[in-house]
Every structure is written in structure tokens, then in C-alpha cells.
Amino acid sequence: MERTVHVPLEGRAYDVVIGPGLLQDVGRRIAPFLKRPRVAVLTDETVAAQHLETLRDGLQAAGIEMQALALPPGEATKSWPQFTRSVEWLLEQKVERNDVILAFGGGVVGDLAGFAASVLRRGVRFIQIPTSLLAQVDSSVGGKTGINARQGKNLIGAFHQPTLVLADTEVLGTLTTRDFLAGYGEVVKYGMLGDAAFFAWLEENGPLLAAGDMAKRVEAVARSVQMKADIVVRDETEQGDRALLNLGHTFCHALEAATGYSDRLLHGEGVAIGCALAFELSSRLGLCSQEDPSRVRAHLKAMGMKTDLSDIDGPLPDAETLLQLMGQDKKVVAGQLTFILARSIGDAFVTADVPKEAVLSVLSDALAECQ
Ligand code: GLY
């Protein structure tokens, strides 16, 4: 059932291994990358409570020693204080230039640990062991690392590719339904942005993989990672095509800011709602058929996912304010907002040529449904 996706970046190529039970075998898998049998692990308290013993046993089976630092779970950890704490802890553990750090957790841990690895002793290697669906299909692959600033998310960071990614799909079994579906928002994004056949496969198989079908989980993660790898190899530092991965994200970032980056809206939920809005906008601009946004929304709803603004608990600001929040996005170039729009499901493109009025009307209509 195991699958390997190779990321062929010149001089920094690596494998993403996907399958159930990788943790039990982690020592044997990472041993070829170690100069000495010792690793430092950055994780969070939730993942540590559920899976750290399995990781420790898997390492011990190959005679590898580990020290671990468990950070508080949640987005607030992607901050200077926790970053400083992590880097100082790694230095206290006497992590050397040739050592390897393990990032064992979801997107928060992966981004923070990767950034710590990028600056520690001017750069040490790190291995991603993503434990959330979102991290397995997106954030653990491609080398974007970083933390949040007061001014916005992910504004401080570095490109630093991992040495190996081990995505153990068995671990997904301990996720809450909400977290699993939030990660699924990123899975379905790949179908919407570049692979209509994958989207159709998800329409058929999404409910089965959500219910726990392991072969389908492996297939969905592997296809997502393959698409991400292809895009990252074409455009590692996001000069062009990599921005396609941000389908739904311009809307999502505004919604996350409007809900205070809180539990009211998880990132993957915002991505799903943002994708539905991006298809609505594309349809209104005459770029894609009217059926496409309906099909996107129908699949998200069939999966029991947040789909519309009305699915977000609590009040939202008006359309003008949401548009202003989009202006804080990293993708603003020379004051111009960039959108990822679509010609059809599976055919997205990047454009800065979007009339503000069209965005406002999509948002106003979506907000009107909340009343
Ligand atoms: N998550 C978007 C990217 O890696 O480019």
C-alpha cells in the first residue's frame, strides 16, 4: 500500500513516503540520513501524548536516541517566543551541524521546526513527520517554513527543503473529524486547481476515505503530494506557478483574519470556503461555467464540510472590510491583489486582473446568505 513521491529538486532532492505504520519503522527509514544515532524532535503536546512513545520505540528499534521538546498546540505557537525557545533548546541539546531535527506534528510544528532548522548553525537538515492530513498533503512538502508576525501569517520564514518526509497515514486515525475534514479542504483543492479526474475521483471516494478506508487515504495523499511536488519543482520560490497552490487562499486569509485566527475557522476550512468563493467569482466573470461553483459546493457539502460564509459561527465584517483584509495578503504585488481563478474544475490560473466590484459583489451576496 506504501507509495513514494520523489521531489527532484536539484541538489536537494528528497522522497515523500506515504503509508500506514511508518512510525513503527521510523528508525530504519531515517538511519541512512544520520551521521550519529541521535535526533532532536520538535513536536506539540497533543501529538506527543498520542504518538511520541511510538516514535521513540520506532527509533530505539534502530538504536537511535531521541530528545523531544513538546510545544503548546495551536497556531499561536508559530511565534517568536516559541521559536526562540525551540532554537535555544536545540542548542542546549548540542545539536550539531550534521545532525537531523525531526518535525513531528501538524503544520504549526512543521513550519516552526523547519524554520528553526534553516537558521540553526546556519542550517541543519530536518525530516518532516507530518501527523495531520493538512501537513501530509501540503505544508510538509515544498520547503516553506516560518512563523507568524503581528502583521500577518507566515511573514517571517525561509525556504528550507526537508531531507525526507514520512507521512504515516495510520496516524490520521487519531484526528478529530473536524481536523480531518479541514485537511481534506487542501486535498480537494488539488483536484480543483489542476486535475479534474482527481476531483471526480474524490467525489466518488471522498466519503470512503473520510470513513477510514486506508488504501484510499494513501491514494489521496499520494496524488496530492505528487501534484504539489510537480508544482514545487517547476517553481520552488513562487515566482509563478506555485501560486496556484493558493487557490481559495486570498478569501481564506481575509476570513481567518476576520475570525481572529481562532477556532471559529480552521485554515483548511477557510481554504474550502475560499475555493467555493473563487469558483463563484470565476463564474461571475464568465471564466468558468455556472455549474462549476455548484459542483464544488455540492462536493464540500456532501463531505460535511464548511462551504459557505453562513457555516462560520458568529458575526463577520462587511464585504468592504473583508476586501481590505485581503489587501494584507502576502500575494499583494505593487498594491494589486492576486487571485487564483479557474476556467473549469482542474484548470486554475493566476491573475491580478480582477475588478474590485466583482469581488465585493461575490462577498456581499455570500454575506447576505448569513442573515
Ligand atoms: N501551501 C502553499 C505552498 O506550499 O506553496
Side-chain angles (χ1 to χ4, degrees), residues 138-139 141-142 144 186 189 228 232 238 242 245-246 249:
D138 183 30
S139 56
V141 181
K144 277 190 184 174
E186 297 278 2
K189 178 194 81 177
K228 177 142 192 188
V232 166
E238 200 166 310
R242 186 164 180 165
L245 296 171
N246 294 325
H249 283 61

